[in-house]
Amino acid sequence: MTQDLVAAGRGSSHSHTHGAAGLAVLALLCNAFIWGVSWWPFRQLQALGLHPLWATALVYAVAMLFIACWRPASIRQLLNTPVLWVLVLASGTTNAAFNWAVSIGEVVRVVLLFYLMPLWTVLLARVLLHEHLTRLAALRVALALAGAVLVLQPAGAGWTLPLPSSLPDWLGVLGGASFALNNVMLRREAHRPEEARALAMFTGGLLVAGSLGLLLGPAGGVPRPPLPAPGWVLFALALAGAFLLSNLALQYGAARLRANVTSVVMLSEVVFASGSAVLWGNEHLSPALVLGGLLIMGAALLSVAESTVPRETSGG
């Protein structure tokens, strides 16, 4: 299956454009589902003594070794392509921040702050992809900011300056900004071999999470990994397999769709995360959180309207 994905990326044709777009959407939905419910296995590993940063480093080390063994040429491609190290940093920051945040914070709140991504995508797509800024893009930014104000308001504290007030909040915002950069870079570097981009993403997960774990250490609230035991090792390996599939799906889909369209499809993660958090995590959705989430999702959905405007106006 993975070989088919790589082959498809190398040999696409105009006659298969619509089919490729459909596969890209399905790939992104697969990624969104895995990420949406990933908070649960990370919390289980944390309960077994493995901090989310170390769990992330381990998961991506396994995935990195798989890609390196499966496509050895990807090592040389990554080392000889400096621009891919931007993807290393973006992907690594995304995974370290998100996995840590959902392990210690309210899942729905973290995911919504993460999905301020469309706001960052407007700016990054303009700088890196030279996409035009439009009125719809400005409206999208306004809706996202309004949603963030509602999500960030402390319950029962009245109206205050809407800034992240906790570590999970900050990690959610940081993860969303780096994920926007990750998706834009995947689109910008779509001509690079897929295995090189995949290796860059997995390498980032290992390096960023591992470096943070070493830097913070027990004094910073990141205890050393426990001694290997069948329970958590097998659990971590299974999670590594899921994330391998997830990230291959992401880099396949994001490389074939516009950055703004990618951000819209990936909004399904909010549904997966919210549903699983309510059912499995006993979380409560307050009216302000729901309204803020709808505004943030509405901001992203405007990307679809924006992408259809040029096509409609050009026909006249």
Side-chain angles (χ1 to χ4, degrees), residues 48 63 111 167 187 200 225 248 250-251 263 285:
L48 294 173
V111 170
L167 178 59
R187 179 60 176 164
L248 286 175
L250 171 64
Q251 62 97 19
S263 68
L285 301 180

Side-chain angles (χ1 to χ4, degrees), residues 19-47:
L23 287 176
V25 170
L26 288 176
L28 291 178
L29 287 174
C30 172
N31 176 271
F33 174 77
I34 293 174
W35 272 51
V37 301
S38 66
W39 62 270
W40 186 83
F42 274 106
R43 288 189 180 182
Q44 301 308 305
L45 286 171
Q46 188 174 30

Side-chain angles (χ1 to χ4, degrees), residues 2-3 6 65-73 195 248:
T2 308
Q3 292 174 340
V6 174
L65 289 174
F66 176 85
I67 291 293
C69 294
W70 174 52
R71 288 287 190 267
E195 58 267 30
L248 286 175

